[in-house]
Amino acid sequence: MRNYLIRNGEKLIIFNPETYDIHVCHNEEAEATLMEDSPTDAKMVCPQEEYCGALDIQAANICMCETCNLACSYCFFHSGTFDKTGGKMISLETLIKTYEKLAANSQSGLKSIGFYGGEPLLNFAVIRDFVNYLKAHVDYSISFGVITNGTLLTQEMVEFFNENRFYVSISLDGTKKYNDMCRISKNGKSVFDTVMEKLKLLKNKRFLLSSQSTLSNCFFREYQKGTINSYFDTFYSAGFDNIIPVTADLKEGYTEDEIDRMTAFFEDVVDYSFEALLHDETKYYPPVFVAKMIRNLAAKRYEGECQAGSKYVFVTVDGDIFPCQMHYMCDVAQMNHGCEITAIKRRVSRCEIAECQECFSKNICAMWCPGGSLVLNGAEDSVIPARCVAQKALLKEIIIKLVEFRNNKDKWDVFVKNLVDFSNHYSVAEYLDGC
């Protein structure tokens, strides 16, 4: 694979996508030499992993219900119904039976359980009873998480999450203007205002609170480069600990102008992240995936393939088991047949996809999702262009900032220390979110 060249002012930065080596040159002669293809015996960052290995279920997302009280414009789960009849709720009996089946297929023990929807808090009573059942009958620690729109939070729920070391993710897309364009309540009320009011219940929270912020064309068409602080301030001022901005997977795609603004946004996310890590006392930390990408670069670590179907599974309201919610949406690759659960065999690696072959991000890409590609494109061995734009913008800007910071010893030392501290603090959250 050819080296990737980045012009940054008078500097020419050369990035080797196979070894993650970064070099800086200042003249065209050096450029001509280093633009040659990587040697055929160049050391790979790490061997390409199997799409899925032996069955060892360590994490499960459980669909608590196939309904939602919102009707978000970009939701490809059809308001939480998964394009099914809708309205179903999982029972405690089904949950317990399914858990026992999952535990029997876990060599190292089920480490985390996430509650999903639809809107999972519509079935909070069963979440509560199931967690209490596990506490009484399981002799090892399980981490719990819930992904919610936040509009149904109560004091009882907050206290329960505190007591049981939950990781809570509330979906919010930014300011009131952008959030309420896409996140739409069926009762006509402002979703943003409702969530802001509910967040007041969390003033004494003892759990990590994150937000997956799904950004669609209505956000990008108005984004102005350099305004990233106001985006993050919306979340941090409301009490969030970490923000995970992602692009909405849209059938209609994005215009050229929206793509340009999307690139600017993710470049700004990186700049914000590096500056945040220069301050010892700040609570305004970078998105977890940015820190992980930096660590992978430093350790020359390959970003592993999706483990849905071997280490991670999705449980439906009927107790059926699929690799992930995307596969359930498409009714593809059901894993349970009677009492047995079968691992999903390796089907495709991102490094085998034509569009990925010559991409400088392919070994460190965190954006490709086989399930997402299946839903949007009808095929796992394909890419979603907006995700590629985000990934390339992130990695390119990370490389530029690493070069800048490495040339300043004082800045570099503080940056490295705070990156390590941040990574240790958010290791559990990263694990659960990665599920």
Side-chain angles (χ1 to χ4, degrees):
M1 177 183 287
R2 295 174 68 85
N3 291 309
Y4 180 68
L5 306 179
I6 304 170
R7 291 192 180 278
N8 185 33
E10 296 182 357
K11 294 179 181 177
L12 181 70
I13 302 172
I14 299 96
F15 174 67
N16 185 317
E18 302 291 354
T19 65
Y20 295 1
D21 289 338
I22 300 172
H23 300 282
V24 181
C25 299
H26 298 272
N27 59 72
E28 298 297 323
E29 185 176 337
E31 174 188 346
T33 302
L34 289 165
M35 277 184 67
E36 296 176 359
D37 289 348
S38 302
T40 55
D41 61 349
K43 180 183 177 182
M44 285 295 294
V45 176
C46 94
Q48 294 182 16
E49 300 178 15
E50 290 296 303
Y51 177 88
C52 283
L55 187 65
D56 180 18
I57 299 172
Q58 298 177 18
N61 253 1
I62 298 172
C63 184
M64 297 306 299
C65 59
E66 290 183 352
T67 186
C68 185
N69 60 324
L70 300 187
C72 301
S73 62
Y74 50 67
C75 180
F76 44 74
F77 294 135
H78 297 201
S79 295
T81 66
F82 293 88
D83 206 20
K84 317 298 180 186
T85 56
K88 284 186 177 180
M89 303 270 187
I90 196 169
S91 68
L92 179 61
E93 179 184 11
T94 298
L95 260 180
I96 292 172
K97 286 182 179 179
T98 306
Y99 166 78
E100 291 171 349
K101 193 183 300 184
L102 295 175
N105 286 274
S106 178
Q107 301 172 34
S108 51
L110 200 58
K111 294 181 173 65
S112 74
I113 293 176
F115 298 104
Y116 200 80
E119 171 46 52
L121 297 187
L122 287 167
N123 201 7
F124 173 73
V126 172
I127 294 177
R128 180 195 59 213
D129 293 346
F130 178 59
V131 170
N132 288 336
Y133 169 85
L134 292 180
K135 287 166 62 179
H137 294 87
V138 177
D139 60 358
Y140 58 86
S141 177
I142 297 177
S143 297
F144 298 106
V146 62
I147 300 175
T148 172
N149 60 42
T151 61
L152 303 177
L153 276 173
T154 66
Q155 193 62 52
E156 176 194 0
M157 294 174 186
V158 174
E159 291 171 2
F160 178 79
F161 297 151
N162 273 335
E163 291 169 6
N164 294 284
R165 295 174 50 248
F166 263 65
Y167 169 65
V168 179
S169 178
I170 295 178
S171 301
L172 197 70
D173 295 348
T175 63
K176 178 176 179 176
K177 174 182 177 180
Y178 298 116
N179 187 83
D180 289 352
M181 280 183 183
C182 297
R183 303 188 62 77
I184 301 164
S185 173
K186 293 177 181 178
N187 63 15
K189 294 183 179 179
S190 164
V191 173
F192 183 88
D193 289 346
T194 301
V195 172
M196 288 297 121
E197 188 63 29
K198 294 293 184 179
L199 287 172
K200 294 177 182 178
L201 299 173
L202 304 183
K203 59 182 179 181
N204 295 317
K205 70 176 176 67
R206 299 193 303 276
F207 50 80
L208 290 174
L209 177 65
S210 78
S211 177
Q212 178 162 305
S213 171
T214 303
L215 305 176
S216 66
N217 46 11
C218 66
F219 174 87
F220 290 119
R221 71 171 58 110
E222 295 191 27
Y223 182 74
Q224 298 293 322
K225 187 169 179 61
T227 61
I228 195 69
N229 283 8
S230 62
Y231 168 80
F232 279 107
D233 287 349
T234 299
F235 297 92
Y236 289 127
S237 62
F240 286 93
D241 299 301
N242 201 256
I243 321 303
I244 306 166
V246 297
T247 58
D249 296 336
L250 303 179
K251 282 283 187 185
E252 64 272 23
Y254 295 84
T255 67
E256 278 190 37
D257 180 64
E258 289 162 357
I259 289 292
D260 289 343
R261 292 172 186 270
M262 182 187 299
T263 299
F265 172 81
F266 283 102
E267 289 173 348
D268 284 353
V269 167
V270 172
D271 293 346
Y272 177 93
S273 301
F274 272 73
E275 290 304 315
L277 286 167
L278 288 180
H279 304 286
D280 290 330
E281 303 301 323
T282 185
K283 64 178 182 178
Y284 299 153
Y285 288 115
V288 171
F289 67 82
V290 174
K292 185 179 181 183
M293 204 176 297
I294 297 169
R295 295 204 320 274
N296 282 349
L297 271 176
K300 298 182 181 294
R301 185 186 298 125
Y302 181 79
E303 175 65 29
E305 304 287 359
C306 174
Q307 292 298 308
S310 62
K311 294 182 180 178
Y312 161 85
V313 295
F314 178 78
V315 178
T316 74
V317 291
D318 295 317
D320 291 324
I321 299 168
F322 287 79
C324 73
Q325 60 271 27
M326 310 293 190
H327 290 83
Y328 174 52
M329 176 73 183
C330 298
D331 280 324
V332 171
Q334 185 170 336
M335 298 172 61
N336 62 307
H337 305 279
C339 295
E340 294 185 1
I341 302 177
T342 305
I344 299 301
K345 300 299 182 183
R346 180 182 185 274
R347 294 188 298 281
V348 64
S349 160
R350 67 175 179 269
C351 291
E352 297 170 350
I353 299 172
E355 294 92 335
C356 302
Q357 288 296 304
E358 294 302 318
C359 178
F360 75 102
S361 292
K362 75 171 186 179
N363 285 329
I364 202 168
C365 178
M367 295 293 178
W368 177 66
C369 171
S373 294
L374 178 65
V375 171
L376 196 70
N377 303 328
E380 291 184 338
D381 58 344
S382 63
V383 298
I384 299 173
R387 288 177 178 245
C388 297
V389 169
Q391 173 63 45
K392 291 175 182 178
L394 287 166
L395 181 54
K396 178 181 177 181
E397 193 67 13
I398 285 172
I399 293 169
I400 289 172
K401 296 302 289 187
L402 284 173
V403 169
E404 175 191 328
F405 276 37
R406 195 67 183 88
N407 289 330
N408 184 318
K409 185 179 185 306
D410 292 339
K411 183 182 285 190
W412 180 256
D413 290 345
V414 174
F415 169 76
V416 171
K417 172 186 175 298
N418 287 341
L419 177 64
V420 171
D421 290 346
F422 169 77
S423 300
N424 291 336
H425 184 61
Y426 280 95
S427 58
V428 174
E430 177 184 312
Y431 178 79
L432 282 169
D433 189 67
C435 293

